[in-house]
Amino acid sequence: MNKISKFIKAVQLIIQKPYLLNNVLKDEMVAKESFEKAYPNLSFRQIRLVDLMDSDEVKITPYAFLSGSSLATDFALLQLLCRKYDVKDYLEIGTWRGESAANVSSYVDRVTTFNLGDEQLLSLGLPKDYVASHRFFSKDKVNIQHVFGDSQSFDFETLHQTYDLIFIDGDHSTEAVRRDTTKLRSFLKNEKSIIVWHDAKVDTEYPRYEVLRGIYEGLPTEMHAKVYLVENSLCAVYLPFDVPSESIQINRLPRTSFELTLKKLPLTEK
Ligand SMILES: C[S@@+](CC[C@H](N)C(=O)[O-])C[C@H]1O[C@@H](n2cnc3c(N)ncnc32)[C@H](O)[C@@H]1O
């Protein structure tokens, strides 16, 4: 198909299905160009997951290996940050199966995990089975509190809590990430508190500009220098410490090799 035929076909499809316009507006190339215009002097820095590893092993459990699961290295990052920086109070936006909440629960005192309620998810037309999978791994853990609402409108003051680490993994549109970031940074416990964002990369190497735009817009400029992508993961982190960091390099040769051992767990084991 030549360019003109493609153009005509695309316009016909957009007229028939206007929601397809979102694919153009959310395209990563479009987001990248717009990000670079907004932040012409910004170059991403990354930290290395292996620099956080206090021993050679991190145990990732539970892990469902189902559609939409975070990477094992994302859960490793959360656990390692909780351990290294002595996180007592952890908040996350986006519970879903409760995998991230359950993965950190042994390393912190209290986990608060926040999600749209089941009724709200159903009223948005989401499939029943998807809704039923929420909280699967977190519901029986004693130190995990489930809170329900829309993070965009919920009044977090009502929880009377501040947090050592806040994991933002709800709605990943630029606007939602910006609003979650702006809103939740006032609930950081102190100047040593950390924010982690999920899906700040499209894969373990390439930045995801749609989310990164929301992160940088949601933080005051003085915090920007402490935002890092995390090697081998899909996360970005605001880490207010002096940590070794480097510029990102796509297609770098592997510098570390990991070993995964798969162990089948009965689901009654918590
Ligand atoms: C990617 S999943 C979270 C995965 C989880 N953190 C993990 O790694 O195991 C995102 C969740 O955020 C929820 N969500 C999306 N927008 C939200 C909002 N505005 N307020 C609260 N929850 C939201 C969705 O219902 C979904 O369950």
Side-chain angles (χ1 to χ4, degrees):
M1 214 189 281
N2 66 29
K3 273 187 186 167
I4 295 177
S5 316
K6 273 189 195 166
F7 179 74
I8 294 169
K9 181 82 189 150
V11 171
Q12 281 171 342
L13 280 170
I14 288 171
I15 292 169
Q16 284 160 16
K17 299 171 183 177
Y19 65 82
L20 287 174
L21 259 181
N22 289 331
N23 293 344
V24 177
L25 296 172
K26 287 180 71 175
D27 179 79
E28 265 301 299
M29 288 307 291
V30 175
K32 179 174 192 272
E33 269 177 33
S34 151
F35 184 95
E36 286 171 349
K37 248 187 218 158
Y39 298 100
N41 301 317
L42 196 148
S43 54
F44 299 124
R45 305 285 300 167
Q46 78 171 359
I47 59 164
R48 304 195 63 197
L49 186 70
V50 287
D51 285 346
L52 293 167
M53 289 176 72
D54 42 11
S55 74
D56 286 344
E57 283 195 21
V58 183
K59 188 170 166 181
I60 307 304
T61 183
Y63 198 67
F65 272 111
L66 288 175
S67 166
S69 274
S70 301
L71 299 182
T73 46
D74 298 326
F75 295 148
L77 171 71
L78 292 172
Q79 285 186 21
L80 290 166
L81 289 171
C82 289
R83 277 151 52 172
K84 185 171 172 87
Y85 296 107
D86 199 20
V87 169
K88 304 236 177 295
D89 291 294
Y90 166 102
L91 168 71
E92 69 177 17
I93 305 301
T95 308
W96 195 1
R97 300 187 188 96
E99 257 177 318
S100 46
N103 261 279
V104 299
S105 64
S106 309
Y107 304 102
V108 304
D109 289 352
R110 285 163 293 276
V111 172
T112 304
T113 181
F114 185 89
N115 208 93
L116 293 165
D118 294 356
E119 288 306 317
Q120 198 163 3
L121 292 169
L122 290 169
S123 72
L124 292 170
L126 291 160
K128 259 193 195 154
D129 288 346
Y130 164 75
V131 176
S133 67
H134 279 68
R135 305 177 294 287
F136 185 88
F137 290 112
S138 52
K139 61 183 185 306
D140 298 322
K141 301 259 181 202
V142 287
N143 67 340
I144 300 183
Q145 181 195 13
H146 296 88
V147 182
F148 301 99
D150 182 337
S151 65
Q152 309 288 305
S153 53
F154 186 79
D155 179 4
F156 286 88
E157 293 283 358
T158 58
L159 300 180
H160 305 292
Q161 269 276 347
T162 53
Y163 305 94
D164 302 294
L165 190 153
I166 299 179
F167 179 41
I168 299 183
D169 188 19
D171 178 341
H172 294 96
S173 66
T174 301
E175 297 69 30
V177 174
R178 180 183 56 232
R179 271 178 288 174
D180 280 350
T181 303
T182 305
K183 187 168 182 176
L184 288 160
R185 70 185 158 79
S186 30
F187 294 91
L188 293 173
K189 198 180 276 182
N190 55 41
E191 69 289 346
K192 291 182 182 158
S193 304
I194 299 165
I195 311 176
V196 180
W197 296 266
H198 198 246
D199 291 317
K201 292 157 84 178
V202 284
D203 63 20
T204 52
E205 293 197 68
Y206 287 86
R208 180 167 168 189
Y209 288 89
E210 182 193 11
V211 169
L212 286 160
R213 183 78 185 255
I215 295 174
Y216 283 96
E217 286 182 358
L219 293 176
T221 318
E222 61 272 20
M223 290 172 82
H224 288 186
K226 296 284 183 188
V227 174
Y228 306 97
L229 301 181
V230 183
E231 190 186 29
N232 303 131
S233 82
L234 301 181
C235 296
V237 59
Y238 165 74
L239 203 51
F241 306 100
D242 285 328
V243 288
S245 68
E246 59 189 14
S247 47
I248 57 168
Q249 184 188 330
I250 307 290
N251 291 321
R252 191 195 278 277
L253 290 178
R255 292 182 286 178
T256 316
S257 175
F258 298 92
E259 177 181 285
L260 297 180
T261 305
L262 293 190
K263 181 176 168 193
K264 194 171 69 172
L265 293 181
L267 274 175
T268 45
E269 191 173 313
K270 298 286 179 217

